[in-house]
Amino acid sequence: MKEAFLSAYRKGNYFRFKGTTSRKDYWFYMLAYYLCMMVLGLLAGGLYMASEMLGLIGLVFVLLFGAFSIIPGISITTRRFHDAGFSGWLLLGFILLSTFGGMMKGNAIGEIISLIGSIAIIIVCVLPSKSSKYSME
């Protein structure tokens, strides 16, 4: 799990949108990412209990880690889409669907659209590996 997580942040993989990532590596990365976010969030909350200023410093670390992880997260998900036999551009479509659906605050249809985009990403990421033109890159 540690190797799958750290490999996403290495120089060769940080901006690598070509090629594939196996289901195992993808889900280990996601598990490690959310565990890190949870630990950082708990630490920030604990620091906030001690001092408001320390809590804000902890929050900055959570936000920096989250921002630093956006590109590797999109990159590894794109490669997972390739491994499942889909174009990475489909991921962009699902992200836009989720984003624009979520922008319709207070609108049940917008929430459903956002949910559909998010579930579609999860479905593609759990699909088995498939030989395709993307696996040859």
Side-chain angles (χ1 to χ4, degrees):
M1 178 169 74
K2 179 182 169 185
E3 180 58 32
F5 180 71
L6 293 177
S7 72
Y9 294 91
R10 289 201 179 102
K11 185 178 179 183
N13 286 336
Y14 196 84
F15 286 103
R16 187 170 68 98
F17 293 91
K18 293 184 178 185
T20 62
T21 296
S22 69
R23 271 192 299 188
K24 177 183 167 188
D25 287 344
Y26 174 79
W27 289 110
F28 273 144
Y29 168 81
M30 286 297 168
L31 176 63
Y33 168 77
Y34 284 110
L35 285 174
C36 285
M37 287 298 281
M38 186 172 53
V39 168
L40 286 172
L42 289 171
L43 285 173
L47 289 172
Y48 184 78
M49 298 294 261
S51 163
E52 188 173 317
M53 186 60 159
L54 287 176
L56 291 175
I57 292 170
L59 178 62
V60 167
F61 279 108
V62 172
L63 294 174
L64 285 174
F65 178 71
F68 183 69
S69 298
I70 290 172
I71 298 297
I74 293 172
S75 171
I76 199 168
T77 305
T78 300
R79 293 193 311 267
R80 179 66 201 117
F81 267 55
H82 291 169
D83 190 55
F86 296 95
S87 170
W89 291 106
L90 184 60
L91 172 62
L92 177 62
F94 289 150
I95 289 172
L96 291 175
L97 190 67
S98 294
T99 303
F100 291 127
M103 291 171 67
M104 298 179 190
K105 297 289 183 199
N107 185 339
I109 293 174
E111 292 172 11
I112 291 170
I113 290 171
S114 180
L115 185 63
I116 288 169
S118 299
I119 290 173
I121 292 171
I122 293 170
I123 288 172
V124 171
C125 288
V126 299
L127 290 174
S129 298
K130 181 178 174 183
S131 184
S132 69
K133 66 180 180 178
Y134 305 109
S135 59
M136 304 304 169
E137 295 177 344

